[in-house]
Amino acid sequence: MALARQARACRELGLDVPVLSPAGIRDRVGVPYRAALLHRPAATLDPAALTCALARACADKGVRFYGRSPLLALRPGDLVGPELVLPHGRLYAGQAVLAVNSAAQALDLPVGTVLPLEVYAVATEPLSAPAYEALGGRAGHSVVDAVPMAPYFRLLPDRGLVAGGGTATVPGGMGAPRLQAVRERAWTWLERWLRSLHPDLARVRVTHRWSGRIGMTGDDLPVVGPVPGFDDVWYIGGCCGHGLALSVAHGAHVAAALLGEPEPGEPLPWHRSRAPRLPARGPARPLLRAYVDTLGRIARHTC
């Protein structure tokens, strides 16, 4: 029923996102799901390729890049514009866009709570031809479970498979040994899950394991807007794991705003300066961590 409601909402937006029966799922990818939505307009892409292409496009327009220059603090400037404190000095900018995502908390940016969550993924060696075709083959379907934090997988052009999700961690306040133990458990569970997708994956070798930080908000919507208390400073973040495509659109929106161009349509719900507040610090943080852990256990049990 929930998927049917989503399909109706998509139709009202002019999107063709039909509900698939178990047979319709098996025709596309051989996994034992009972219902699914087919997102025809959706696609997968290579994040590194996108990042490099955007960097080249910026460089062609004269943009300069400085590595190993993390932002340490933001202050109202005494001269022109904000003061950005960096490891090797200070920068005064007429305008600034802080695309720091979940690092907003460490910088004490007044943008509400953008909670840093650590998420996990693994990648495999090339699959056998039967397993590759059974899981979608050249059609390139990727599967994302509808349960929050549930696992996902997608096939790679070299016949490998990337799987992620299944759990997430609130890393704040964790020591390095404990955090590494959590990572090992998450990767182990992901490996077991991907091996359950097809009999030929029982002995497939996992070649890569990694983790990364995403920014989550209390209402699952990003924050894209001026930073309260700072003139000509904008913040972009809190995409809740969907930043790859959203960030490109956010960049266009913020660029137009900084250039004084009129908004082409109605503002989106996440064109705002603050996310809802969450108990991300202090004595309530263990409760928040327990809540996130519970969501992960529910997702793993459901799958």
Side-chain angles (χ1 to χ4, degrees), residues 35-236:
L37 293 177
L38 177 62
H39 287 265
R40 298 186 199 275
T44 61
L45 55 83
D46 183 334
L50 173 63
T51 302
C52 290
L54 290 173
R56 285 194 296 270
C58 290
D60 290 343
K61 292 183 177 294
V63 173
R64 290 180 291 175
F65 298 89
Y66 295 91
R68 300 181 181 180
S69 301
L71 179 63
L72 302 180
L74 172 69
R75 299 169 184 161
D78 296 327
L79 302 175
V80 178
E83 177 187 0
L84 307 177
V85 181
L86 305 167
H88 308 295
R90 301 177 182 184
L91 174 67
Y92 293 90
Q95 296 173 313
V97 179
L98 306 181
V100 296
N101 202 24
S102 62
Q105 187 180 77
L107 292 167
D108 287 324
L109 296 182
V111 294
T113 301
V114 181
L115 183 68
L117 286 187
E118 185 166 283
V119 293
Y120 310 95
V122 297
T124 73
E125 65 183 350
L127 310 184
S128 68
Y132 187 73
E133 291 304 321
L135 294 174
R138 296 297 172 185
H141 296 297
S142 58
V143 172
V144 181
D145 200 290
V147 178
M149 291 193 208
Y152 62 87
F153 77 83
R154 65 182 180 90
L155 299 172
L156 302 176
D158 68 355
R159 292 206 336 230
L161 179 148
V162 169
T167 190
T169 304
V170 180
M174 276 191 177
R178 183 182 174 195
L179 186 55
Q180 185 59 31
V182 169
R183 290 169 179 162
E184 294 292 340
R185 286 197 297 271
W187 289 324
T188 298
W189 185 89
L190 268 176
E191 290 182 26
R192 286 201 304 267
W193 177 77
L194 75 86
R195 296 183 199 286
S196 72
L197 295 172
H198 189 276
D200 283 8
L201 271 61
R203 294 181 178 83
V204 69
R205 184 169 59 92
V206 170
T207 57
H208 299 81
R209 308 189 307 174
W210 69 97
S211 63
R213 303 283 172 91
I214 64 173
M216 297 293 295
T217 64
D219 57 4
D220 295 328
L221 294 177
V223 179
V224 183
V227 176
F230 292 88
D231 294 333
D232 295 317
V233 179
W234 282 62
Y235 168 80
I236 300 175

